[in-house]
Structures are given as C-alpha cells and as structure tokens.
Amino acid sequence: MNSVSSPLPAHLPARVLTAILCALLVVAPVEGKRSEPQAAGSSDAATSASHKAKKPDASSSSKKPAATGSHATTAAKKPGSSSARRTSTTTHRSATTPRGKKKYVSPAERRRRAARAHKIKLAFVASTELRPMAQQLATLRTPAAYVGVTSYAHAHAGEAAAAAYLALGHAYFLDKRYTDAVASLHQARVAGEELNDYADFLAAKASHEGNQEIQAEALLKGFKEKYPDSIFVDEVPELEANVLLDMHDPVGAKRVLDAAASDPAAGRAGYQLAAGLVAEAQDRNQDAIRVFKALLLGFPLSTEAAIARTKLTSLGAEDSLTSDELRSLGDAYYKAGHYEEAAEQYRALALKFNLDTQARNGFAVAAAACDLKRKLLTQSEAEALADTPDENGARRLYLLMELARNRNDLDEQTRIVTRMESDFPQSQWLAEAVFSSGNMYLLLKDYSRAAEYYAYLADHFPSNKNASAAHWRAGWLNYRLGNFNDAERIFDEQIHNFPGTPETASALYWRGRLYESQDHNIAQAAANYRTIVRVYQHFFYAQMARERLAALGATEAASAPDLDQIKTPELPMLADSFPEDSPHLAKAKLLANAGLNDYIPREIAADPDSGSWSALAEAQIYASFGESYRAMRALKRALPGAASASIQSIPLAYWHILFPEPYWTIIKAESAKNGLDPYLVASLIRQESEFNPSAISYANAWGLMQLLPSVGRTLAREENMTHFQTFQLLDPETNIRLGTRYLKQMLDHFGGVPEYALAAYNAGDSRVEDWQASGPYSGIDEFVESIPFTQTRDYVQSILRNIEIYREIDSTSADTTAKAASGR
C-alpha cells in the first residue's frame, strides 16, 4: 500500500485531508489497463520512461487468499475452534441475489410494499445530514469521525438516530470492538425499525465474535420469520449453526442447517463449512470428510476452503484426495494468479509416494511454471526436469523457450520451437511457445519472423485462445511489410473466421483501405466502412471510417450480405426510472446515509423486479454523494459493450454516469489556460483514474491525472507553487492544474498530434520517438495500429473514443433540453 511520505502540515484544507486519508485505503482501477505496458501477449514487462514509469493497473491488486498447501496452517485460527468457524461467516460482499421472472403481486401486497417504502423514504429524509459523517466514519474510522457520528446520534431521535447508531455499530465491528458494536446496534434497534434486520444480524455477528453466544442466538432465532425479505436470510443458518456449536449444541446446529438445506443458503461456502463442522462435532467423520472435500474442490480460493483443508488434515483424510483432485486445486490457484500457493501445491503433490512417473513429472513441471511466473526459475532447474515425450515434456520445452527469450538467445529460442514443431505438433505448449515467439520478434522489429509465427499459430491452432489475435497480427504485419496480397487474404479470413472478436473492426477498416489503394474498389471499401460505423459506433476505427467515407464523398456502398450478418451486441433491458414502491431500493438509499455502502448492491438486487434498473439505481446512489468513480464502475460492469452502442440506444442517465463531468469548471479553466480541449482532459482522467481523486497506483502515480511525485514537483516549480508537497496531488484542483500543464508539454513536444502525446503520456516519450522511427506511416491510423504495446494502443484509442462520446452526450443533452423547453 502506498503512503504519503511527506509529513502533513498541521492545518490542511478538509478536502485535501480527506483525500489523503482515503488514498491510504482506496486504489481505483484504470479502465482498459493491464498490470503494465506490454507487447500484446508478451510475458516481458516494458518499463516506462515517462511520468508513470512501470505504472501498473490500479485494479490489479487483490487480497491474497490464505495459502492452502498440504501442511497449511494459514487460516490463522486454530482448526475446530470458534474463531476458525467465525472466519466463515464473513459477508460475501460480491454476492447478489438471483433475479427470477417478474411475479404477480396482489393489490394488498402492493399496498403493503408501498407503505413500507414510504416509511423508509421518510427515514432517508430524516437522516440525510448524517451521510457525509457516516461515509467518513466508514472509510477512515478515526476518533474524530466516531465523535462526529456519536454527537449526531445523541442529537437526533427516531430513524435518524437509528441510522447513526447503525453506522457506529458497523464501524466498531470493523475495528473489532465487539462490545461497543453490540451496544450501538442495540441502540439502533431501539431508536428505529427500518434497518432492524441489519442491526440484529450485525449484532449477532459481533456477539459471536465476542464469545457472547447466548445473545447471538437470541438475535438469530426466528430471524427469517421476522425479516423474510432481508438480504441476510441466506447467511443466518451458517452463522446460527456456528453459534450453536460454540454453545455445545451440535444437534441444534444440524437442525438449523437441515431446515435451510433446500434454500439458496445451502449453496454458500459458509453453509457447507458449518455442515462439515457439525458432522465432525457429532462424530460423523465420514460425512465431515465428504463435506470438507466438496467444499475444498468447489470453492478452492475461499477462506472456507483453507479451513476445510486443515480439517481434512486433522481428520487424517488428506490422502483421500485423488491426484486429479489435488491437481485441480493447484490449477485453480494457478489460473487465479496465486503462483506461490500453486507451486506449494504442485511440489507437495510431486512428493506423494503413490504417484506414477508421469504424474510426478507433471507436478514438477507445473511447479516450475509457477516459478517462471514469479521470475524465480533458473536454467539449470528447467533443464533438470524430465525430458519426456508427452505434454510434460512439451511444457518443459516451453519453459526453456521462455528462458531463452528472456536472455534474448534467438538461436536457442528457434531451436526449441523447431523441436516442438517436430515432437509435439498438437501440443497447447507449442501454441504458447509460437505466440510468445511472435511477440518477441514483434518487439525486436523483425516483422517478417513475427508474422511467420503468428500465421503458424492461426493455421495450426484455430481454436486456441490467441488464434484471433495471432491471425490479425499476421495480417497487419504483412500489410506493414507491403505484402498486400497476403494481407488482403488474411483480413478477409479474419472477418469471416473470427467474427465478434476485438480484431474484427480493425480487419474491416484495413481491408477497406486496401480496397481503396490496391483493388480500386471504392464501393466495397465504403461497405466495410459503413459496417464499422453501424456496428462499432464509438470505436477508434468508427472515427477513422467516418473520415474515409467523407473523403469518398457520395460513393454508394456495394451490397455485402456477409457484412450485414455482423451485428451490434445486444443490450440488456434498461430502465431510467424506478418503482416508487420498492422497499429494497428505499433501504439501499438509507444504507448510504448510514455509510454501509458495501450492502447497497445486494439490497437493490434483492428486489426481484430490479433487473432493468438495478445498475443505474446503484450508480446514482454513489453519484449522489460524489463518488463518480464508484458509480461509473457499477455501470461499466453492467454495460461492458456500451462503446458499441449509439447514444440513442441507452438512456442519457446511464451515459452521464458512464462519462461523468466532475470538476468540470476546473477542467475547463485549466484547459483554456493551456490551450487544451476540455473533453480531451476529461477523457484522459476517465482513463487514468475514473475520476477518483484519491487514486494512487502501485507505481506511485497520484491523483486524477496520475502524476508521479517527481513530475509533480517539477511542474509545481514551473507553476511557481511554493512549498509543494506530494499530498497536494490528491487535491483535484492542484492535480488538474499540474496535469494539464504536463499534457500540454507532451502535445508541444509531439507537434500537437494527440495520438503521439497520449501514447507518450502512457508509455514515455522515448518509446514514442522509437515507434515513430519505425515508420514511415501512411497516416496516424497506421501509427496507432502499429503501437506494439496492447495496453498503450488501447489507451490511446479509448481516450479518442471518450472524446467523441463526451461531445455526443452533451450535444444530445442540449437538444433534449431545448426540445423540452419548447414543448416539443
């Protein structure tokens, strides 16, 4: 976690202090970014010479799960103890309630729901002033934040006080002050009633964690009957079972679990862990082993799985896991990027005495693959692996090829791939080696060799995950080499054989350019361009296609039935208004007042009719208290294909959140001062930080426009800012002031060409100069497509797309407002 290195002055503006403290807890993901700039598909990290050297995607960090190796004790709790069981009752924040078909609701039920929603809305209104204090408490949990919310609770009554006490109880629970949490949650229940299910459930969890099991059981008993619509109904059985186990009542615990066996609750990892613990407590060890095994294999990355693994070991049953089952665990860790845990798993398996030679070799080479990912594998270790005529031997050669690539040993790389083509022509590891080799020669600017490798992969492994990308690159490199006949053939194959892939728009565009320049078939070129504009409305290549159509004038497009089959992805049903009688939506808004943001999406999703409006409702709640970045993420998850859609096909309310304009006054002022397009600045901020002013990347780039502290200091001197300190980069006004100056410098350096400047902002000016030298290019479109780093290429194209969408949204909004004003 990054931290602010400079000491904080005693008197800071409140907005800056809040941003600094939030930054210690919040890191925003950056749209379209991978962990670091890479040549597409390359395993070699590219270092950056710019203001964001080695800047990783801020979203790439995830909490590392507990290791679950064969001798794991990483649950950090004593197996079988109450503390170990408590680990399993943590709320699964990403869980959502499945939505079924809209069901009939009787008039009486509608009236009941409407009355309930009305009461919750009154509670929301009553507690509106609490929101900023509660949000600060939930984020920071400082003594001052506790004092502020406590004072509010004491000064108010009813639902406003209840929301404040709930905020306190939740914060105390997070701080493991369980006695204080229970007391505050009790006061919340006394003061109001609309959030009583939250008060009772959280109080039960706090009581359980504080070893007050009698109080916990009293709160949980009959919970479903008291709160049938609560989002916690599915979590209660596992929590109550653990409480009863701690009360030495396994019979009661089993009764609770059996009562929920046909409910969605039974599909939770926590429920299954509780079931295994109950079986063990009743000396039904075979049942316990069966449940623990199912849990471990079904939820291998969960905390519950770590506990289940430890329980299997204590029951002497770990050897009952077959080699295939154990291999599936290692593979799950590997696919999730948990290479250390995967290596531990594979090495433990390789030591098992009852393995055949092939299986033992497989585990050894899999462990070595983990070491390669961690940059720990040595040449001698790889060579020591068994050289066998099977997939293990193929993978061994792939590892040796990657090591040869890392040390730039081209002769050895070629020798290994040639041997793999001969000995393992159908192996997936040959496909991996060929793709990596193509990437290597692409970086070395040996485009002919790169194209050969890419073409080989596409021809011999057409179903491989990298086949479409490799096929496209083979075509593009042939185009760059002037092999236009081959390029035409490959582009045509790309369009027909790989429809719906990210490369389709590129193939359509460049085939259109060849129809113009080589075939002199203007009508067919126009057909390609019109297809791009129709299907990929806001893509970079849609902008380029519109420019080509304008240049072609009134050319009539050729008939192209095959192109007509390329369709825009279907959008889900989207509503921009919400039901007035939804208690769950009303409660979600009330939760925001109490600072319980993590429960908002689950509460909305609990409404069975929320399918068409849940994402917008969630996003608008976040946006209403200034969290534009959180609101944007909610809609980006719901509408990943929005860039292909027309503005008219999605309600404007969605667009305004997907492309927000916070800090717009500052952006316009600083853009004007530097002669910049404010839409360019807003589009860059959207791509860099999603408008999260507190974002700090793991490469130490700060704030809205993601500036390194060293760059910030230089720019501050140029702006005559005295006594500049790094924390000031978290102030939106300061960050935009310095960031726009930096962007202007990039533009000036590259002759005002935004594509060059944006590429330099992302990857460094020296790299861009190197790419320019690899020309000549027939136009800026050719330069952009030739950027060898997929991350940088996507970055440039996305920002240019953002600019167009911003303009179109604002234009459409202005037209809508004008029509409303004129009464049309």
Side-chain angles (χ1 to χ4, degrees):
M1 180 68 70
N2 292 291
S3 62
V4 180
S5 58
S6 301
L8 301 182
H11 302 290
L12 287 175
R15 66 182 183 186
V16 178
L17 178 58
T18 299
I20 292 168
L21 294 171
C22 288
L24 302 181
L25 302 171
V26 179
V27 179
V30 181
E31 178 191 20
K33 292 195 175 182
R34 295 166 180 80
S35 58
E36 33 192 335
Q38 296 180 2
S42 170
S43 62
D44 294 339
T47 57
S48 174
S50 77
H51 67 301
K52 294 186 293 298
K54 297 184 183 176
K55 175 185 171 184
D57 179 348
S59 68
S60 65
S61 173
S62 59
K63 182 173 282 188
K64 194 174 183 180
T68 55
S70 59
H71 303 291
T73 57
T74 52
K77 307 280 187 178
K78 183 179 178 181
S81 70
S82 61
S83 59
R85 291 193 292 272
R86 287 186 194 109
T87 305
S88 70
T89 64
T90 301
T91 300
H92 292 258
R93 295 177 177 177
S94 62
T96 56
T97 303
R99 303 184 189 105
K101 294 182 179 179
K102 194 168 184 177
K103 63 181 181 181
Y104 170 75
V105 180
S106 69
E109 175 62 16
R110 285 198 177 278
R111 288 192 295 272
R112 186 192 71 80
R113 287 180 52 176
R116 175 91 192 286
H118 179 69
K119 289 180 65 178
I120 299 174
K121 289 176 185 177
L122 293 177
F124 168 77
V125 172
S127 59
T128 299
E129 294 179 357
L130 170 66
R131 177 185 291 190
M133 290 182 283
Q135 292 290 336
Q136 185 181 54
L137 174 62
T139 304
L140 307 178
R141 301 202 299 282
T142 60
Y146 275 109
V147 169
V149 176
T150 301
S151 297
Y152 180 96
H154 292 166
H156 292 76
E159 297 296 347
Y165 283 122
L166 182 65
L168 288 167
H170 182 244
Y172 283 134
F173 181 85
L174 294 176
D175 281 339
K176 300 183 179 181
R177 296 169 58 180
Y178 300 123
T179 301
D180 291 334
V182 171
S184 292
L185 293 165
H186 174 73
Q187 288 176 299
R189 199 178 191 287
V190 170
E193 60 180 24
E194 299 306 336
L195 293 173
N196 280 358
D197 61 323
Y198 282 80
D200 281 0
F201 182 77
L202 293 175
K205 288 184 70 175
S207 296
H208 179 48
E209 295 290 347
N211 297 314
Q212 301 299 315
E213 309 300 349
I214 294 176
Q215 292 90 323
E217 170 60 8
L219 290 164
L220 294 171
K221 192 173 183 63
F223 186 96
K224 183 176 181 179
E225 289 70 30
K226 284 187 289 185
Y227 309 113
D229 296 328
S230 175
I231 66 169
F232 300 116
V233 164
D234 289 342
E235 295 179 56
V236 165
E238 65 201 58
L239 177 57
E240 187 174 6
N242 282 310
V243 167
L244 291 168
L245 283 174
D246 279 358
M247 295 173 67
H248 308 292
D249 184 6
V251 174
K254 185 175 186 302
R255 184 167 56 249
V256 167
L257 294 177
D258 287 348
S262 59
D263 296 340
R268 292 173 51 86
Y271 177 99
Q272 295 182 28
L273 178 60
L277 296 172
V278 167
E280 182 188 25
Q282 293 184 315
D283 295 324
R284 294 185 288 109
N285 287 350
Q286 290 306 308
D287 288 340
I289 290 169
R290 175 181 54 79
V291 173
F292 289 140
K293 282 182 64 174
L295 169 57
L296 176 62
L297 297 172
F299 300 88
L301 303 178
S302 67
T303 304
E304 291 87 354
I307 299 172
R309 184 65 174 271
T310 303
K311 299 301 293 184
L312 287 171
T313 300
S314 68
L315 290 168
E318 185 158 352
D319 286 343
S320 68
L321 289 164
T322 67
S323 295
D324 287 343
E325 289 171 337
L326 292 169
R327 177 65 180 262
S328 74
L329 290 175
D331 292 346
Y333 302 144
Y334 185 88
K335 290 176 183 177
H338 302 161
Y339 301 120
E340 183 177 358
E341 292 91 336
E344 178 184 350
Q345 182 69 61
Y346 292 137
R347 287 197 170 89
L349 286 166
L351 296 175
K352 291 176 71 72
F353 68 90
N354 57 346
L355 291 179
D356 59 47
T357 301
Q358 185 178 31
R360 193 180 308 281
N361 291 339
F363 294 136
V365 75
C370 296
D371 290 343
L372 178 71
K373 291 288 188 179
R374 300 171 64 205
K375 304 186 186 305
L376 299 176
L377 184 65
T378 66
Q379 182 73 18
S380 60
E381 289 170 340
E383 289 175 346
L385 296 168
D387 188 358
T388 55
D390 54 18
E391 279 295 280
N392 297 329
R395 193 174 191 182
R396 170 185 177 272
L397 287 175
Y398 165 72
L399 297 178
L400 287 167
M401 191 284 302
E402 288 289 1
L403 292 175
R405 177 185 172 181
N406 289 344
R407 64 178 182 271
N408 207 30
D409 187 342
L410 304 188
D411 291 339
E412 181 68 2
Q413 171 271 328
T414 301
R415 185 192 68 78
I416 293 173
V417 174
T418 301
R419 180 186 165 188
M420 293 182 76
E421 291 173 1
S422 172
D423 294 355
F424 305 103
Q426 305 300 319
S427 173
Q428 63 167 323
W429 301 112
L430 171 59
E432 293 292 326
V434 167
F435 191 64
S436 181
S437 297
N439 291 337
M440 178 185 72
Y441 284 106
L442 176 64
L443 287 173
L444 294 173
K445 301 178 185 177
D446 187 341
Y447 300 136
S448 179
R449 290 288 301 277
E452 290 176 7
Y453 279 113
Y454 289 140
Y456 184 96
L457 172 60
D459 291 344
H460 290 78
F461 299 92
S463 299
N464 184 269
K465 63 183 180 181
N466 294 317
S468 176
H471 189 270
W472 160 249
R473 291 175 198 174
W476 175 247
L477 293 176
N478 273 287
Y479 177 95
R480 291 281 289 126
L481 291 166
N483 302 327
F484 296 127
N485 289 336
D486 288 338
E488 286 185 349
R489 172 182 57 79
I490 296 172
F491 291 161
D492 285 336
E493 292 172 355
Q494 187 79 36
I495 294 165
H496 294 97
N497 297 342
F498 299 98
T501 62
E503 296 79 19
T504 303
S506 306
L508 282 166
Y509 178 80
W510 290 104
R511 185 63 180 99
R513 294 299 301 267
L514 288 175
Y515 277 129
E516 287 190 69
S517 63
Q518 300 299 310
D519 302 340
H520 307 293
N521 187 344
I522 306 303
Q524 189 61 52
N528 275 35
Y529 298 146
R530 291 187 189 281
T531 300
I532 298 170
V533 172
R534 173 177 58 83
V535 179
Y536 308 98
Q537 296 213 10
H538 298 114
F539 278 35
F540 169 76
Y541 279 117
Q543 299 176 39
M544 297 295 100
R546 280 189 283 270
E547 291 183 10
R548 295 310 308 155
L549 287 169
L552 295 178
T555 301
E556 183 175 348
S559 175
D562 54 337
L563 298 184
D564 293 338
Q565 300 304 310
I566 303 175
K567 304 294 185 183
T568 301
E570 289 189 12
L571 294 169
M573 289 287 294
L574 299 173
D576 58 357
S577 61
F578 314 124
E580 293 291 325
D581 63 347
S582 171
H584 289 292
L585 177 55
K587 185 182 283 190
K589 295 178 179 179
L590 182 56
L591 289 171
N593 284 2
L596 272 67
N597 295 349
D598 292 328
Y599 298 99
I600 288 172
R602 293 180 59 196
E603 191 63 56
I604 293 172
D607 188 314
D609 300 329
S610 66
S612 64
W613 51 262
S614 61
L616 180 61
E618 178 188 350
Q620 287 188 343
I621 291 173
Y622 301 142
S624 68
F625 51 88
E627 291 197 341
S628 298
Y629 62 93
R630 192 190 294 264
M632 186 194 305
R633 289 178 206 164
L635 286 193
K636 284 165 71 172
R637 288 193 300 268
L639 293 170
S644 298
S646 67
I647 298 297
Q648 292 72 27
S649 66
I650 296 175
L652 274 174
Y654 289 79
W655 286 117
H656 284 307
I657 290 177
L658 283 166
F659 291 84
E661 295 179 351
Y663 320 112
W664 188 236
T665 300
I666 303 171
I667 289 172
K668 287 197 296 184
E670 295 299 328
S671 296
K673 187 174 77 174
N674 288 282
L676 299 174
D677 177 359
Y679 288 114
L680 169 61
V681 176
S683 297
L684 183 144
I685 293 173
R686 184 184 188 273
Q687 205 68 18
E688 287 286 349
S689 66
E690 293 182 327
F691 289 95
N692 180 2
S694 303
I696 301 178
S697 81
Y698 290 97
N700 204 33
W702 287 53
L704 291 170
M705 298 185 73
Q706 290 288 275
L707 300 172
L708 286 174
S710 58
V711 173
R713 286 191 292 273
T714 299
L715 296 168
R717 284 194 297 271
E718 295 172 0
E719 284 281 311
N720 296 316
M721 295 173 60
T722 59
H723 309 297
F724 174 81
Q725 296 188 64
T726 297
F727 68 81
Q728 291 175 268
L729 291 174
L730 298 179
D731 173 46
E733 186 169 353
T734 300
N735 193 282
I736 294 171
R737 177 182 174 185
L738 300 181
T740 50
R741 184 181 185 90
Y742 186 80
L743 179 58
K744 172 63 172 174
Q745 292 174 357
M746 287 289 101
L747 279 163
D748 289 346
H749 182 76
F750 289 101
V753 179
E755 289 82 359
Y756 295 149
L758 293 172
Y761 200 101
N762 178 260
D765 52 4
S766 61
R767 281 212 181 91
V768 174
E769 290 163 358
D770 180 55
W771 298 335
Q772 287 176 312
S774 297
Y777 303 102
S778 63
I780 197 64
D781 50 0
E782 194 168 318
F783 168 80
V784 171
E785 187 58 53
S786 297
I787 294 173
F789 298 159
T790 299
Q791 188 271 331
T792 301
R793 186 170 60 254
D794 290 347
Y795 175 90
V796 172
Q797 293 184 3
S798 294
I799 291 177
L800 296 174
R801 172 207 69 192
N802 292 351
I803 295 171
E804 179 177 276
I805 295 177
Y806 266 119
R807 291 188 189 283
E808 195 170 348
I809 291 169
D810 282 359
S811 176
T812 303
S813 297
D815 290 345
T816 301
T817 301
K819 289 178 182 178
S822 64
R824 285 184 287 164

